Amino acid sequence: MLTKKQWEYCLEQFGEMFPDAHCELVHENAFELLVATLLSAQCTDVLVNRVTANLFQKYKTPEDYLEVDIEELQNDIRSIGLYRNKAKNIQALCALLIENFDGEVPADRDLLTTLPGVGRKTANVVVSNAFGIPALAVDTHVERVAKRLGMNRWKDSPLMVEEKIMRWTPREKWTDTHHQIIFFGRYHCKAQNPACGECPLLPLCREGKKRMKGIA
């Protein structure tokens, strides 16, 4: 397993490789980010951005989403996976935003997770990117990188990954670290064909060393 000292080295390398890592979901406010993040489950940010380019022109407020039939909203997001369920959740969360929060997105992770379709990961993305509150969302990229490096065990849950990374990472760096690990996983340590041979973390990466041994 990775030591804390080795993790600190990983953080330095993530920062050097991807100093400009950021949220790639295009949005102009917390409400748009909430909708975009909900849509991004099991879907690429590229596809979500393609869909929201038109969606966010048509719908500006929670009220706007509730003024159309569910079938129309489904049609607007049809190219996204699980679009029927996501359309239902968007309308349900819009109704709750109006009912419980005066139509405003709450800047609180626990309150956000009371909304339909909003899990811990989505809530962390929203509070960190829309409100500047340090948080660390664990998506498939973050989980994969942490487990390949040996930061976490293969059987650990996303929550266990989140808690370990937060414990070993300075709080003020949580949000940047989240983005940098995502970029590292998305563009370097890919699910298929990770770039182990040119990775600065290879000497301490259990998965990388195993893969390179298989190539040798």
Side-chain angles (χ1 to χ4, degrees):
M1 295 293 284
L2 217 59
T3 65
K4 188 175 181 186
K5 193 82 178 162
Q6 288 173 321
W7 178 247
E8 288 167 359
Y9 174 75
C10 291
L11 291 179
E12 288 174 17
Q13 293 303 311
F14 294 148
E16 284 183 22
M17 291 176 75
F18 301 104
D20 301 318
H22 58 279
C23 177
E24 292 192 296
L25 291 170
V26 176
H27 63 282
E28 290 187 0
N29 53 56
F31 179 56
E32 288 187 355
L33 180 59
L34 177 60
V35 173
T37 309
L38 188 151
L39 290 173
S40 72
Q42 298 177 41
C43 179
T44 66
D45 289 359
V46 172
L47 178 55
V48 172
N49 289 338
R50 204 177 300 147
V51 170
T52 57
N54 293 321
L55 195 73
F56 293 162
Q57 290 297 314
K58 182 175 180 180
Y59 305 100
K60 300 289 188 183
T61 66
E63 288 84 358
D64 292 342
Y65 284 95
L66 295 173
E67 284 175 2
V68 299
D69 291 335
I70 187 74
E71 290 79 11
E72 184 174 343
L73 180 54
Q74 285 177 359
N75 199 50
D76 290 331
I77 62 171
R78 185 175 292 274
S79 58
I80 286 181
L82 309 173
Y83 70 91
R84 286 190 180 87
N85 198 45
K86 290 176 180 178
K88 185 179 76 175
N89 282 334
I90 288 171
Q91 286 198 331
L93 78 80
C94 284
L96 277 184
L97 283 177
I98 294 165
E99 187 180 329
N100 297 339
F101 304 106
D102 296 322
E104 298 294 325
V105 176
D108 181 285
R109 185 181 65 194
D110 294 335
L111 290 177
L112 280 165
T113 56
T114 65
L115 299 171
V118 180
R120 187 180 181 90
K121 184 197 81 172
T122 296
N124 277 334
V125 168
V126 173
V127 297
S128 62
N129 290 287
F131 299 109
I133 298 168
L136 203 142
V138 173
D139 69 352
T140 54
H141 299 296
V142 175
E143 184 175 1
R144 180 174 69 253
V145 169
K147 291 181 177 181
R148 279 180 173 173
L149 283 170
M151 174 72 166
N152 287 83
R153 299 169 299 173
W154 292 110
K155 64 181 181 180
D156 285 356
S157 67
L159 179 58
M160 292 165 80
V161 173
E162 178 188 327
E163 289 173 341
K164 178 86 174 278
I165 294 177
M166 288 195 304
R167 205 160 56 241
W168 280 13
T169 305
R171 187 173 187 273
E172 67 275 9
K173 291 186 177 178
W174 286 354
T175 299
D176 286 343
T177 295
H178 157 72
H179 292 311
Q180 287 162 359
I181 299 176
I182 286 177
F183 270 50
F184 182 78
R186 185 175 284 160
Y187 302 115
H188 182 83
C189 187
K190 300 174 183 177
Q192 306 293 329
N193 303 317
C196 299
E198 56 199 59
C199 184
L201 304 183
L202 180 61
L204 50 78
C205 178
R206 64 174 179 187
E207 177 72 10
K209 284 187 281 193
K210 193 187 303 176
R211 284 172 180 265
M212 294 308 290
K213 199 179 290 181
I215 292 170

